[in-house]
Structures are given as C-alpha cells and as structure tokens.
Amino acid sequence: MAAARQAAAVIADRSGVKRHDIALVLGSGWGPAADVLGETIAQIPAEEVPGFSRSGVPGHSGTLRSVRYTDAQGTSRHALVLGARTHFYEGRGVRRVAHGVRTAAAAGAGIVVLTNGCGGLRPEWAPGTPVLISDHLNLTATSPLEGATFVDLTDLYSPRLRAIAREVDASLDEGVYCQFRGPHYETPAEVQMAGRLGGDLVGMSTALEAIAARHAGLEVLGVSLVTNLAAGISPEPLSHAEVLEAGQAAAPRISELLAQIVRR
Ligand SMILES: Nc1nc2[nH]c(I)nc2c(=O)[nH]1
C-alpha cells in the first residue's frame, strides 16, 4: 500500500534506520517491553508519521520507536516498536487498523509480534498471565482486506515462533483469541458463546492486524496478556482499574519474556 511505503520512508528518514528487522505492536500492559529489549535510538510522535494518530487508548505511548538490540547470535538488529495502535472500535476504518503492520512490512520487517491486553475464559489464567495465541476467531464481521484478495490463514500464528517462545518460557499456555468489535465489553452470555465457539481469550484488537500482516508477507507471533477474567467467568464485575493494575504488575515479567523471544 502506498500509504505504508510513505510512512516507512518517514520512519527511515527520521530514525536513520534504513531497514527494521522486526516490528512490535504493544498493547495494554506491554509498554515497558521496548526499554527492556534495547536502546531507543529514535522516538517519533505518531501524528508525525502519515496514517498514524495519537490513539486515545490509555497506556499507549503514542509514539513510534526504533530500538537497537543485539540478537542471540550477537548481531545488531533494529526493532520498530509501534506504540500507537488504531483499534477498529475507533471507527476510523480497517485501513487505519492495518496501517501499522503494513508500514512494518514496508520498513523491511519480516516478523511482527502483536501483543494485547484481553479477557481470559480460563479461571486458572489469573490477571497478569501471558498466553500465546494459537489461532483466532474474527467476530468483527469485517476484514482488513478489500477486493478479491483471497488469503490462506492456515498457521497464521507461526508455529515456529510459538516454539521459540516456549523455549524461552516452557510454562506458556496457548489459546484461541476472539476479536469482538467493542468498545463495550462482552456480556456473560457472549463470553459463554465465545467459549462454545472454541475461544479462550476475548479482546478488541489483533485478529484484523494479523490477517493484514499475513497478506503483507509477515510472519506473525501473537501474545495476549490476560488482564481480567472475561465477564461472567468470575462473579465480580469488570473494573477498568483492575485491568490497568494487572497490566502494570505483570510488566517486568512479560517485558523480559518478549525481549528474550525477539532476541532469538
Ligand atoms: N473484548 C474484551 N476486550 C478486553 N480488553 C481487555 I484489557 N479486557 C477485555 C475483555 O474482557 N474483553
């Protein structure tokens, strides 16, 4: 997409990095991961890059960062950290939702790591638990793709990258992520429906971005942070304060996890 190439050119120009090796989309609770990974060599306000905007989502830095890190083979690499995700519920259309991953591909990345905060359907996943995404249910009734772009989504969430993640932390569970349109949370009945459909996690992001990433030729790893038990799984109602608190408490562990996976 031309818009992605334009954004990638601005990022290359402002950061001085001609090609980024990997891209990270940081969701709620994942913000500190960039600092753990390596050294930020450029930080660009999102609104200064074509097609991006300062999303109103709390916990999002609103910036795009170029982070230099050393991989496990001792090679110096660059990660493009997108701290300004557009959610479908913002009503800006699917092109804006997919713009980040398309820009990542245009910037040279071969892999995108999509992270998010979400609700968990399994009681044993306490708030603060990271879960690898094994597959998704797209309940948004839409696609980031337009026209006759028939894309195979088998193994959309890379088994190779999931195996690397489990080498870093063998205790990581996997689950099927359901993207709802939002911005409201699900009713308890909708959570039960998602469970019956085979879902383990409920959120408002990631699935549409993953489809666009596959279409752009990127290998995808998805990691959710369970910040709350989905509605009805536990008797207490959802509290946004609990969501933010769980994210902050888990930050050190999940940031280290993400950094170690990226370095592999
Ligand atoms: N749809 C949905 N999105 C979420 N995001 C977070 I953080 N928690 C939830 C949740 O319980 N449901």
Side-chain angles (χ1 to χ4, degrees), residues 188-214:
E190 286 165 339
V191 170
Q192 291 304 311
M193 170 195 76
R196 285 187 172 80
L197 292 174
D200 302 294
L201 301 157
V202 290
M204 304 179 196
S205 70
T206 307
L208 296 179
E209 290 150 288
I211 296 166
R214 165 59 68 86

Side-chain angles (χ1 to χ4, degrees), residues 28 117-120 180 184-186 202-204 227-231 238 243:
S28 315
C118 71
F180 282 82
H184 55 281
Y185 286 127
E186 298 68 44
V202 290
M204 304 179 196
T227 57
N228 59 278
L229 289 181
L238 291 185
V243 161

